[in-house]
Amino acid sequence: LMASHFNSRQIENIRRTFSEEEIGKVVQTNPFLLMKVPGVGFNTVDKLGKNVGFNRIHPTRVWAGILEILKIEANQKGHCFT
């Protein structure tokens, strides 16, 4: 994870959320699930996604990007999103 631009706090939060075995599976199958971890956002996970083969138009990447935009709108501008 360090090689994919995650900082030590993000790695610590990931390890609190997922077991070591789960981390390996998530990284290979859907790294965008890491966005559920506090302090881990789209930009960081997207770098990892590109490294494991998720291209710009991969549906999982697109969906994660949409969710990130909605989260930003809700948190910064006060719009509702659940």
Side-chain angles (χ1 to χ4, degrees):
L1 293 174
M2 282 290 234
S4 296
H5 307 287
F6 289 91
N7 64 41
S8 58
R9 178 175 231 145
Q10 290 169 321
I11 292 170
E12 182 179 323
N13 288 342
I14 290 168
R15 288 189 171 141
R16 285 184 183 155
T17 305
F18 297 100
S19 70
E20 291 298 321
E21 182 179 315
E22 289 172 322
I23 293 170
K25 288 180 184 177
V26 166
V27 165
Q28 293 303 314
T29 60
N30 185 358
F32 297 96
L33 290 174
L34 296 174
M35 290 171 55
K36 294 181 179 185
V37 175
V40 178
F42 179 81
N43 290 332
T44 304
V45 175
D46 191 39
K47 292 172 188 170
L48 176 59
K50 288 176 184 175
N51 288 344
V52 297
F54 284 76
N55 65 32
R56 287 185 47 221
I57 59 171
H58 192 284
T60 303
R61 181 184 182 269
V62 172
W63 182 247
I66 291 169
L67 290 176
E68 180 76 356
I69 290 168
L70 291 173
K71 183 172 77 174
I72 289 168
E73 289 293 314
N75 291 333
Q76 292 180 357
K77 298 183 180 177
H79 299 294
C80 294
F81 168 68
T82 56

